[in-house]
Amino acid sequence: MTCAYRHPAFDHVVGEPAASTSARMADADSLADRYATVSGDDLGDWPFYLGLAHFKLAVIAAGIQHRHDRGASGEDASGAGAAVPDLIAAGIAALRPTRHMARTSPAGQENP
Protein backbone atom coordinates (compact mmCIF):
# COMPACT_ATOMS: atom_id res chain seq x y z
CA MET A 1 0.00 0.00 0.00
CA THR A 2 2.85 2.37 0.75
CA CYS A 3 3.81 2.52 -2.91
CA ALA A 4 0.23 3.36 -3.92
CA TYR A 5 0.41 6.36 -1.57
CA ARG A 6 3.05 7.74 -3.96
CA HIS A 7 0.37 8.44 -6.58
CA PRO A 8 -0.43 12.18 -6.87
CA ALA A 9 -4.16 11.44 -6.49
CA PHE A 10 -3.48 10.53 -2.86
CA ASP A 11 -3.40 14.27 -2.13
CA HIS A 12 -7.18 14.30 -2.78
CA VAL A 13 -7.71 11.46 -0.33
CA VAL A 14 -5.97 13.26 2.55
CA GLY A 15 -7.26 16.67 1.50
CA GLU A 16 -3.87 18.35 1.22
CA PRO A 17 -0.42 17.68 -0.23
CA ALA A 18 0.82 14.45 1.31
CA ALA A 19 4.48 13.89 2.12
CA SER A 20 4.28 10.53 0.34
CA THR A 21 3.47 12.24 -2.99
CA SER A 22 6.50 14.52 -2.85
CA ALA A 23 8.76 14.50 -5.92
CA ARG A 24 11.66 14.24 -3.46
CA MET A 25 10.75 10.62 -2.72
CA ALA A 26 11.65 7.75 -5.01
CA ASP A 27 8.86 6.45 -7.24
CA ALA A 28 7.05 3.21 -6.44
CA ASP A 29 9.11 1.04 -8.79
CA SER A 30 12.38 2.41 -7.40
CA LEU A 31 11.21 1.70 -3.85
CA ALA A 32 10.29 -1.85 -4.84
CA ASP A 33 13.61 -2.38 -6.62
CA ARG A 34 15.51 -1.15 -3.58
CA TYR A 35 13.46 -3.40 -1.30
CA ALA A 36 14.15 -6.43 -3.53
CA THR A 37 17.86 -5.65 -3.57
CA VAL A 38 18.19 -5.20 0.18
CA SER A 39 15.87 -8.03 1.24
CA GLY A 40 16.75 -10.51 -1.49
CA ASP A 41 13.03 -11.16 -1.94
CA ASP A 42 11.56 -12.04 -5.33
CA LEU A 43 9.01 -9.42 -6.37
CA GLY A 44 7.90 -11.22 -9.51
CA ASP A 45 4.24 -10.49 -8.68
CA TRP A 46 4.93 -6.77 -8.10
CA PRO A 47 2.55 -5.52 -10.84
CA PHE A 48 -0.34 -7.48 -9.32
CA TYR A 49 0.24 -6.15 -5.81
CA LEU A 50 0.78 -2.58 -6.99
CA GLY A 51 -2.44 -2.75 -9.01
CA LEU A 52 -4.32 -4.24 -6.05
CA ALA A 53 -2.98 -1.48 -3.77
CA HIS A 54 -4.27 1.20 -6.13
CA PHE A 55 -7.70 -0.48 -6.29
CA LYS A 56 -7.85 -0.72 -2.49
CA LEU A 57 -6.95 2.93 -2.13
CA ALA A 58 -9.65 3.84 -4.68
CA VAL A 59 -12.24 1.99 -2.58
CA ILE A 60 -11.04 3.78 0.57
CA ALA A 61 -11.30 7.15 -1.21
CA ALA A 62 -14.82 6.33 -2.43
CA GLY A 63 -15.81 5.39 1.11
CA ILE A 64 -14.44 8.65 2.51
CA GLN A 65 -16.35 10.59 -0.15
CA HIS A 66 -19.54 8.65 0.60
CA ARG A 67 -19.31 9.41 4.32
CA HIS A 68 -18.64 13.07 3.54
CA ASP A 69 -21.64 13.28 1.20
CA ARG A 70 -23.87 11.83 3.95
CA GLY A 71 -22.55 14.31 6.52
CA ALA A 72 -20.86 11.56 8.49
CA SER A 73 -17.27 12.80 8.30
CA GLY A 74 -15.87 15.10 10.94
CA GLU A 75 -13.77 17.09 8.51
CA ASP A 76 -13.86 18.35 4.95
CA ALA A 77 -13.35 15.31 2.76
CA SER A 78 -15.10 16.77 -0.27
CA GLY A 79 -12.22 16.03 -2.63
CA ALA A 80 -11.59 12.38 -1.78
CA GLY A 81 -13.80 11.10 -4.58
CA ALA A 82 -11.73 12.99 -7.16
CA ALA A 83 -8.94 10.46 -6.58
CA VAL A 84 -11.01 7.41 -7.53
CA PRO A 85 -10.75 7.52 -11.36
CA ASP A 86 -7.00 8.18 -11.29
CA LEU A 87 -6.35 5.41 -8.76
CA ILE A 88 -8.41 2.91 -10.77
CA ALA A 89 -6.52 3.90 -13.93
CA ALA A 90 -3.21 3.45 -12.09
CA GLY A 91 -4.32 0.00 -10.91
CA ILE A 92 -5.21 -1.05 -14.44
CA ALA A 93 -1.93 0.34 -15.78
CA ALA A 94 0.03 -1.60 -13.17
CA LEU A 95 -1.57 -4.84 -14.34
CA ARG A 96 -0.72 -4.36 -18.01
CA PRO A 97 1.91 -6.88 -19.18
CA THR A 98 4.00 -4.15 -20.84
CA ARG A 99 4.43 -2.47 -17.47
CA HIS A 100 5.88 -5.60 -15.85
CA MET A 101 9.47 -4.97 -14.88
CA ALA A 102 12.11 -7.69 -14.78
CA ARG A 103 13.02 -8.52 -11.20
CA THR A 104 16.01 -10.40 -9.97
CA SER A 105 15.45 -13.35 -7.68
CA PRO A 106 17.68 -13.99 -4.65
CA ALA A 107 19.56 -16.55 -6.74
CA GLY A 108 20.43 -13.78 -9.20
CA GLN A 109 18.24 -15.09 -12.00
CA GLU A 110 16.07 -12.62 -13.89
CA ASN A 111 12.35 -13.23 -13.64
CA PRO A 112 10.25 -12.80 -16.80
Side-chain angles (χ1 to χ4, degrees), residues 1 5-6 11-13 28 35-36 41 47 50 57 65-66 68 71 80-81 91 93-96 100 102 104 110:
M1 286 290 291
Y5 297 157
R6 293 285 302 118
D11 289 346
H12 295 293
V13 178
Y35 175 83
D41 288 341
L50 183 60
L57 191 53
Q65 184 68 51
H66 177 78
H68 171 76
L95 296 173
R96 289 201 175 111
H100 182 78
T104 304
E110 191 172 290

Side-chain angles (χ1 to χ4, degrees), residues 33-52:
D33 284 337
R34 181 70 180 141
Y35 175 83
T37 299
V38 171
S39 69
D41 288 341
D42 178 9
L43 299 183
D45 292 328
W46 169 245
F48 170 80
Y49 289 107
L50 183 60
L52 178 62

Side-chain angles (χ1 to χ4, degrees), residues 11 13 21 28 33 44 46 65 67 77-78 86 90 94 101 103 108-109:
D11 289 346
V13 178
T21 63
D33 284 337
W46 169 245
Q65 184 68 51
R67 285 189 302 280
S78 61
D86 289 339
M101 296 174 41
R103 303 279 178 196
Q109 300 169 343

Side-chain angles (χ1 to χ4, degrees), residues 49-85:
Y49 289 107
L50 183 60
L52 178 62
H54 281 98
F55 294 144
K56 290 169 85 172
L57 191 53
V59 170
I60 291 167
I64 292 169
Q65 184 68 51
H66 177 78
R67 285 189 302 280
H68 171 76
D69 293 347
R70 304 299 179 270
S73 63
E75 56 192 56
D76 181 20
S78 61
V84 174

